[in-house]
């Protein structure tokens, strides 16, 4: 460890991304207690889709995971992406039938990205791709803001809200490819269904999804 990183660790000791306890030197971004107690999703959180094949998620969106993701999305903790990427990459590798040619993500609208300063699903896709020794590419854009899905109720309401919100950004790189679409949280799957539908219409051979956390 370099002199400067030692000084930085004294000033800003690394903390567990989930529970915020100060970490031991050997910890890799999260603590032993969380390794034991995280709400790991049963059967890799697998859920079938209509437009996508299936979606996997390593964690349930509850407790310390939910609080961590809220800090990641709304309180500037963008560095959590590196740890989240490890969880997603491991989950993807543990599902051998999850085959893909291209890693991409569910984008924020440019207005929301400007106000937040970063696109959390893009960072997640880049971090996951890095863990898998691959790269991630943008395939979708969201030209307009719509009401946040989390503010809406059932699946029908969420599907109507999101309908037409995304367009394919580059049909050349999508054509004939199986796209692995990454997002942070999946609840009703409306957003993933919509995005996968757009990718299929743009010529994708198939879509498969991975989200860091899913509703219980
Ligand atoms: Zn912890």
């Amino acid at each position: 460890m370099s002199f400067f990183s030692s000084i930085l660790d004294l000033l800003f000791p690394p903390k567990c991304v989930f529970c915020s306890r100060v970490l031991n030197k050997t910890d890799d971004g999260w603590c032993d207690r969380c390794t034991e107690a995280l709400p790991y999703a049963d059967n890799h959180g697998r859920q079938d889709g209509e437009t996508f094949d299936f979606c996997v998620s390593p964690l349930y969106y509850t407790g310390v995971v939910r609080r961590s993701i809220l800090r990641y999305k709304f309180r500037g903790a963008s560095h959590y992406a590196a740890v989240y990427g490890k969880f997603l990459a491991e989950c993807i590798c543990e599902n051998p039938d999850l085959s893909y040619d291209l890693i991409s993500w569910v984008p924020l609208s440019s207005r929301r990205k400007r106000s937040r300063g970063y696109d959390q699903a893009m960072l997640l896709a880049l971090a996951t791709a890095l863990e898998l020794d691959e790269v991630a590419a943008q395939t979708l854009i969201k030209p307009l803001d719509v009401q946040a899905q989390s503010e809406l109720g059932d699946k029908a309401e969420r599907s109507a809200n999101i309908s037409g919100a995304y367009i394919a950004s580059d049909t050349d790189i999508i054509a004939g490819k199986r796209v692995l679409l990454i997002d942070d949280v999946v609840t009703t799957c409306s957003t993933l269904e919509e995005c996968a539908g757009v990718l299929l219409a743009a010529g994708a051979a198939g879509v498969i999804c991975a989200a860091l956390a899913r509703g219980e």
Side-chain angles (χ1 to χ4, degrees):
M1 187 179 283
S2 77
F3 172 73
F4 286 110
S5 64
S6 304
I7 295 284
L8 283 173
D9 282 355
L10 283 176
L11 293 173
F12 306 103
K15 291 180 179 172
C16 174
V17 303
F18 297 108
C19 70
S20 301
R21 283 191 193 91
V22 173
L23 291 174
N24 297 317
K25 274 204 170 65
T26 52
D27 291 336
D28 202 12
W30 69 97
C31 72
D32 290 346
R33 276 204 244 180
C34 282
T35 299
E36 294 289 317
L38 282 175
Y40 297 103
D42 298 328
N43 192 29
H44 303 112
R46 207 162 156 128
Q47 17 189 3
D48 290 331
E50 286 165 29
T51 51
F52 58 87
D53 295 358
F54 61 88
C55 180
V56 293
S57 307
L59 298 163
Y60 285 125
Y61 187 59
T62 183
V64 291
V65 170
R66 180 173 172 275
R67 290 193 289 278
S68 173
I69 292 174
L70 291 173
R71 289 194 297 276
Y72 175 61
K73 288 171 76 165
F74 303 113
R75 306 270 303 275
S78 54
H79 61 287
Y80 287 7
V83 170
Y84 293 165
K86 291 180 200 291
F87 279 79
L88 271 170
E90 191 179 319
C91 183
I92 289 162
C93 291
E94 285 170 354
N95 283 272
D97 61 333
L98 195 163
S99 68
Y100 59 90
D101 308 303
L102 181 66
I103 300 177
S104 194
W105 62 88
V106 173
L108 282 184
S109 70
S110 44
R111 206 185 105 214
R112 196 153 295 172
K113 188 174 164 185
R114 267 199 306 280
S115 69
R116 190 170 296 177
Y118 54 97
D119 181 331
Q120 80 277 356
M122 180 185 81
L123 292 186
L124 210 49
L126 295 174
T128 305
L130 201 64
E131 287 293 325
L132 295 167
D133 223 2
E134 302 194 30
V135 292
Q138 180 149 26
T139 55
L140 294 165
I141 53 175
K142 191 181 186 188
L144 297 171
D145 256 339
V146 297
Q147 195 176 350
Q149 291 286 79
S150 54
E151 293 166 6
L152 297 168
D154 63 8
K155 185 160 183 171
E157 208 179 346
R158 289 179 178 217
S159 298
N161 180 55
I162 211 81
S163 176
Y166 297 90
I167 55 174
S169 63
D170 187 345
T171 48
D172 286 347
I173 64 164
I174 299 166
K177 302 275 175 47
R178 281 181 60 78
V179 181
L180 169 58
L181 201 56
I182 306 262
D183 205 359
D184 46 21
V185 178
V186 57
T187 47
T188 61
C189 293
S190 311
T191 302
L192 293 177
E193 294 284 9
E194 176 71 17
C195 288
V198 171
L199 290 171
L200 291 177
V207 180
I208 206 121
C209 304
L212 178 65
R214 59 161 290 180
E216 277 187 281

